[in-house]
């Protein structure tokens, strides 16, 4: 079992059998040890496990700020807007529009091979297979390939496109 999973299991077990004061103490100690982080959103009381980039409760970033665009390069504005337009066209009125779409690069065919997560308020949903299929996601795939040609992704780099107004 990976260390992160062991830590989560131990913290969860401690909290399940604890009263309110003990729960607060367990979470405080886990934060001090670096295993948890408390959301910086004053309206959110969620504690998140180390390694999560976004709060499970409200979707804010781990730095305590609302999610905003995260560009791979300051010189890609036109390509970035092409990706935003393609994503906006992809989400039809029949399907809920995510607040943001996150691409996390862990290797593969450039940005098109990135793992994709949709953010809906405080929830995150993984897009199985991402937007790799050129036939199904022609505009998105073309926009991601264009970004890759200009700015090749580095391992564990991510980009975020905010779609909510």
């Amino acid at each position: 079992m990976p260390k992160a999973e062991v830590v989560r299991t131990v913290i969860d077990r401690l909290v399940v059998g604890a009263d309110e004061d003990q729960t607060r103490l367990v979470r405080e100690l886990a934060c001090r040890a670096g295993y948890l982080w408390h959301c910086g959103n004053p309206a959110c009381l969620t504690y998140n496990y180390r390694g999560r980039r976004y709060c499970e409760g409200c979707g804010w970033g781990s730095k305590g700020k609302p999610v905003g665009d995260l560009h791979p390069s300051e010189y890609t504005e036109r390509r970035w807007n092409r990706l935003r337009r393609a994503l906006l066209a992809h989400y039809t009125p029949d399907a809920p529009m995510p607040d943001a779409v996150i691409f996390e690069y862990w290797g593969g065919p450039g940005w098109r091979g990135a793992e994709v997560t949709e953010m809906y308020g405080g929830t995150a949903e993984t897009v199985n297979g991402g937007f790799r299929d050129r036939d199904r996601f022609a505009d998105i795939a073309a926009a991601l390939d264009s970004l890759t040609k200009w700015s090749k992704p580095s391992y564990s780099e991510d980009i975020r496109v905010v779609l909510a107004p």
Side-chain angles (χ1 to χ4, degrees), residues 17-93:
D19 64 24
E20 189 175 320
D21 289 335
Q22 293 168 332
T23 298
R24 189 173 26 79
L25 181 61
V26 166
R27 289 181 173 156
E28 183 181 313
L29 292 171
C31 285
R32 285 186 193 170
Y35 294 115
L36 286 178
W37 57 272
H38 187 262
C39 182
N41 178 351
C44 182
L45 303 174
T46 304
Y47 286 86
N48 300 278
Y49 292 101
R50 178 174 59 192
R52 284 197 60 86
R53 293 183 186 194
Y54 307 100
C55 177
E56 285 187 50
C58 69
W60 278 30
S62 60
K63 303 286 188 210
K65 296 179 182 174
V67 297
D69 286 342
L70 186 62
H71 291 249
S73 168
E74 63 184 69
Y75 303 109
T76 61
E77 193 65 33
R78 195 178 81 229
R79 289 169 173 82
W80 186 263
N81 286 329
R82 180 179 176 191
L83 176 59
R84 186 187 312 279
R85 285 192 308 273
L87 288 168
L88 287 168
H90 170 72
Y91 296 100
T92 63

Side-chain angles (χ1 to χ4, degrees), residues 67-148:
V67 297
D69 286 342
L70 186 62
H71 291 249
S73 168
E74 63 184 69
Y75 303 109
T76 61
E77 193 65 33
R78 195 178 81 229
R79 289 169 173 82
W80 186 263
N81 286 329
R82 180 179 176 191
L83 176 59
R84 186 187 312 279
R85 285 192 308 273
L87 288 168
L88 287 168
H90 170 72
Y91 296 100
T92 63
D94 301 337
M97 174 80 68
D99 297 326
V101 178
I102 300 158
F103 298 84
E104 294 180 276
Y105 181 78
W106 299 107
W111 283 115
R112 193 167 36 86
E115 292 180 13
V116 180
T117 305
E118 298 168 331
M119 301 293 293
Y120 295 94
T123 63
E125 294 180 16
T126 301
V127 177
N128 292 327
F131 294 113
R132 291 179 180 98
D133 187 340
R134 286 183 199 265
D135 295 329
R136 281 185 59 209
F137 309 109
D139 291 343
I140 296 171
L144 290 168
D145 288 345
S146 177
L147 277 172
T148 298

